[in-house]
């Protein structure tokens, strides 16, 4: 990117003339070059992309005497303010040499400041404009000015500006009106916004849409829906606002219904609104379904939609869909910027293709901190702690201006936790503040507690919690509770568990974990008490689910799932029976030590274990792939000990590589072994 600095020499300008009279005569052009020719020069591609060419054009403007032409001067200021050059101050220097700028020139400067994200500068310059007696603001001045007040949260100034609009008789302009509505809504002053809409001066769809957006900003979805329903004429922006609003407030069925019933053509924002809504709500399969619908309707997705869909692919392990998007990017020569590149890295890493994630990362021409974090985090969840730390060091050596942030350290700490690298992890936690000036947050302490707990250092983990500069949250105590289960510390687990059940009485996972701790220690009275408490509070256990992507279609299986609606239900059950029988011949015995809260009989426990979601997914994979094909599964919960042991044996007996991504890490099962080395 071509840039300039505030030390750049300004081409020689005559001093602005003294303003002794409102009829001051302007200097006439001294050249035969016409205004039209000058403007054509200023608007050429070379001038808008090359600072050197722009300065040459600037010299021509001065030499020809056309700088005194306000339209030429304003266009020149606009060219210098181009974000491509990245120097607003230089554009303002040029503006300072304009003699008695008219409203066009002022509007150019105000808009330029807004584009450079300097809203307060917009407001200050507007007041200077007001002071200039012959520079009356017009209808093009106020929409951007209202936006600047909203962005700067300058409520008092915004109200004053609105007073100027009323005084100048511009209240009926629809663009000004919609901007004022949006500003008042941003300030939470919905009543004022609605009064502007209903002022009797007329409103168009843009104004109504602005009011809908205003209600949504104030989290009043019902009023927004009521206004939308009363609209006689709607445009695509009306639908986009409501679809986004429904999704934002978790009303996905209404969002989808409105999307499906649209009577006008959808635009890019419509598709993006429903896809982003589903993704933010955790409905990744539904987001992919919408994307597939886009393909069927032959709508070419834009870059920002592709990044969102890649996020959905990453979460459900839809590798085939993710690879299709990558191929689409290459086929259409779409530039892989930091956002899109990072989305590809994250998708490949979370879909088990660390090699392809690394290839994309290495070929990225532009990397941001979040790009490095995605690759480091990908290595971490695959148990590659040494490689993650090496990349962390490489980031500092190769990218001098690239400083790690809190997320970087969180990724590194997680890598150390899942590889048992206690000393190195604690050292990195210390370096956050001493070397990088980053204050550890509660998430970092939680990861450090997990690091110590997994290594069996429960006393040290408890000591760290007690020394934290903030109160521990449920995530931190949950890490300690998980360590108590792993290492069988019933006494500490009971104390921590009771605290957690008070902090998160609706979290079924906490009850299950505490019950498992009691069961592992033979405390069956404790198990019974937890079961009783769950029944009293009406708590249901969170069902485990596993997803497998075959041929671009994501199939989901849930623990104890009857599979009644699945077309291959009988085949799956039959295949699973064969697998279990073969495993028993090899010495497999179901491990029911991790007690199931709602099942008391041992035989029923074994039956339930047999139908755990990942076992169903494996059976489905066996039926629908060739022998030797790698099975890839994504699970929403931590893999239980029984399924972990069974999957190791399946990989050996049936000569299959099985890759399972659970809630925290990847497990590569091959020849009876797992990449986690049973440390998870």
């Amino acid at each position: 990117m071509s840039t300039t600095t505030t030390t750049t020499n300004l081409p020689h300008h005559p001093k602005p003339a003294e303003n002794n009279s409102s009829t001051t005569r302007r200097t006439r052009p001294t050249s035969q070059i016409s205004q039209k020719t000058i403007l054509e020069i200023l608007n050429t591609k070379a001038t808008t992309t090359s600072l050197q060419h722009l300065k040459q054009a600037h010299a021509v403007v001065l030499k020809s005497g056309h700088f005194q032409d306000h339209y030429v001067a304003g266009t020149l200021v606009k060219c210098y303010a181009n974000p491509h050059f990245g120097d607003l101050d230089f554009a303002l220097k040029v503006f300072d040499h304009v003699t008695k700028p008219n409203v066009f020139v002022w509007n150019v400067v105000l808009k330029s400041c807004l584009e450079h994200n300097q809203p307060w500068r917009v407001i200050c310059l507007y007041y200077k404009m007001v002071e200039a007696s012959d520079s009356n603001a017009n209808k093009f001045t106020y929409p951007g000015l209202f936006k600047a007040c909203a962005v700067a949260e300058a409520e008092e100034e915004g109200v004053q500006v609105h007073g100027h609009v009323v005084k100048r008789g511009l209240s009926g302009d629809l663009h000004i009106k919609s901007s004022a509505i949006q500003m008042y809504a941003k300030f939470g002053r919905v009543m004022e916004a609605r009064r502007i809409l209903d002022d009797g001066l007329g409103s168009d769809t843009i104004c109504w849409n602005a009011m809908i957006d205003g209600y949504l900003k104030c989290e009043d979805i019902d009023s927004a829906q009521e206004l939308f329903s009363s609209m006689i004429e709607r445009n695509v922006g009306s639908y986009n606002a409501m679809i986004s609003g429904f999704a934002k407030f978790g009303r996905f069925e209404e969002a989808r219904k409105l999307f499906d019933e649209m009577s006008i053509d959808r635009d890019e924002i419509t598709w993006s609104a429903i896809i982003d809504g589903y993704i933010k709500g955790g409905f990744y399969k539904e987001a992919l379904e919408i994307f597939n619908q886009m393909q069927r309707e032959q709508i070419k997705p834009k870059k920002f939609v592709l990044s969102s869909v890649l996020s959905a692919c990453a979460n459900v392990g839809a590798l085939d869909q993710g690879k299709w998007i990558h191929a689409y990017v290459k086929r259409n020569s779409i530039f892989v910027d930091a956002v899109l590149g990072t989305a590809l890295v994250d998708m490949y890493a979370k879909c088990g293709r660390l090699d392809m994630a690394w290839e994309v990362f290495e070929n990225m021409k532009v990397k941001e901190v979040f790009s490095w974090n995605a690759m480091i985090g990908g290595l971490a969840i695959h148990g590659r702690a040494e490689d993650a730390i090496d990349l962390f060091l490489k980031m500092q050596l190769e990218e001098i201006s690239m400083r790690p942030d809190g997320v970087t350290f969180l990724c590194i700490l997680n890598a150390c936790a899942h590889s048992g690298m206690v000393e190195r992890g604690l050292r990195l936690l210390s370096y956050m503040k001493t070397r990088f000036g980053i204050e550890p947050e509660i998430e970092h302490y939680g990861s450090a507690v997990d690091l110590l707990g997994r290594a069996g250092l429960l006393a040290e983990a408890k000591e760290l919690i007690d020394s934290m500069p903030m109160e521990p949250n449920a995530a931190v105590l949950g890490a300690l509770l998980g360590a108590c289960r792993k290492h069988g510390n019933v006494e500490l687990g009971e104390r921590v568990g009771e605290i957690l059940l008070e902090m998160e009485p609706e979290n079924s996972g906490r009850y299950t974990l505490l019950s498992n701790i009691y069961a592992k220690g033979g405390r069956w009275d404790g198990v019974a008490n937890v079961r009783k408490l769950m029944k009293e509070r009406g708590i249901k256990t969170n069902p485990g689910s596993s997803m497998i992507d075959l041929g671009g279609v994501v199939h989901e299986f849930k623990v104890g799932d009857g599979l009644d609606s699945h077309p291959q239900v009988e085949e799956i059950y039959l295949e699973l029976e064969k697998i279990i029988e073969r495993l028993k011949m090899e010495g497999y015995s179901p491990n029911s030590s991790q007690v199931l809260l709602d099942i008391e009989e041992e035989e029923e426990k074994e039956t339930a274990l047999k139908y755990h979601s990942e076992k169903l997914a494996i059976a489905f994979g066996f039926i629908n792939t060739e022998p030797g094909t790698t099975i890839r599964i994504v699970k929403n919960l931590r893999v239980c000990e029984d399924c972990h042991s069974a999957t190791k044996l399946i990989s050996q007996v049936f000569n299959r590589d099985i890759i399972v991504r659970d809630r925290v890490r990847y497990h590569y099962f091959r020849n009876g072994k797992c990449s986690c080395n049973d440390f998870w």
Side-chain angles (χ1 to χ4, degrees), residues 9-11 13 16 54 58 61-62 67 72-81 87-99 101 105 109:
N9 292 326
L10 187 69
H13 282 264
L54 178 57
H58 189 170
V61 169
L62 294 177
F67 188 75
V72 172
T75 304
L76 183 63
V77 171
K78 180 181 177 182
C79 290
Y80 274 116
D87 190 359
L88 177 65
D89 290 335
F90 192 65
L92 293 177
K93 282 185 180 181
V94 176
F95 168 73
D96 288 340
H97 284 79
V98 179
T99 304
V105 182
V109 172

Side-chain angles (χ1 to χ4, degrees), residues 116-153:
H116 283 263
N117 196 29
Q118 296 195 26
W120 275 110
R121 207 165 198 172
V122 175
I123 297 168
C124 292
L125 282 170
Y126 169 72
Y127 281 116
K128 288 186 178 180
M129 178 184 180
V130 171
E131 291 172 355
S133 59
D134 61 344
S135 299
N136 289 331
N138 62 15
K139 65 179 183 179
F140 300 107
T141 308
Y142 290 104
L145 189 55
F146 280 133
K147 183 176 181 180
C149 291
V151 173
E153 298 182 353

Side-chain angles (χ1 to χ4, degrees), residues 383-486:
R384 303 266 292 271
E386 289 288 354
D387 292 333
I389 293 172
D390 287 346
L391 187 60
F392 170 69
L393 298 174
K394 182 180 179 182
M395 170 187 180
Q396 299 166 65
L397 293 173
E398 292 189 4
E399 303 282 352
I400 304 300
S401 61
M402 194 76 68
R403 288 183 60 80
D405 60 13
V407 177
T408 316
F409 281 97
L410 194 58
C411 293
I412 290 292
L413 287 169
N414 287 337
C416 293
H418 289 284
S419 298
M421 300 170 65
V422 177
E423 290 185 11
R424 202 159 190 180
L426 294 177
R427 192 159 59 244
L428 285 165
L429 180 67
S430 173
Y431 286 168
M432 281 185 67
K433 187 173 183 179
T434 59
R435 292 195 178 183
F436 296 93
I438 301 173
E439 197 71 40
E441 297 181 8
I442 196 161
E443 292 83 4
H444 301 101
Y445 286 108
S447 188
V449 169
D450 187 43
L451 168 73
L452 292 165
R454 287 176 184 275
L457 303 172
L458 301 185
E460 289 83 348
K462 180 66 168 58
E463 185 179 332
L464 177 61
I465 292 174
D466 293 338
S467 66
M468 283 167 47
M470 70 282 287
E471 288 295 316
N473 62 9
V476 173
L477 294 176
L480 182 59
L481 187 65
C484 291
R485 183 207 59 79
K486 180 178 178 65

Side-chain angles (χ1 to χ4, degrees), residues 181-243:
I181 290 170
Q182 289 175 328
M183 181 194 72
Y184 276 114
K186 177 71 183 296
F187 297 148
R189 299 172 66 162
V190 181
M191 296 301 294
E192 285 93 334
R194 186 59 190 260
R195 275 197 289 269
I196 294 172
L197 181 69
D198 299 332
D199 61 8
L201 297 177
S203 298
D204 67 351
T205 309
I206 296 174
C207 295
W208 286 72
N209 292 348
M211 191 65 243
I212 289 173
D213 190 54
Y215 279 131
L216 294 174
K217 281 186 171 67
C218 295
E219 301 191 352
D220 189 353
I221 182 69
D222 293 328
S223 294
Q225 184 178 13
E226 182 182 346
L227 186 62
F228 176 82
S229 300
S230 67
M231 290 175 69
I232 298 173
E233 183 180 346
R234 303 167 183 155
N235 63 13
V236 69
S238 315
Y239 284 93
N240 292 347
M242 280 310 305
I243 290 170

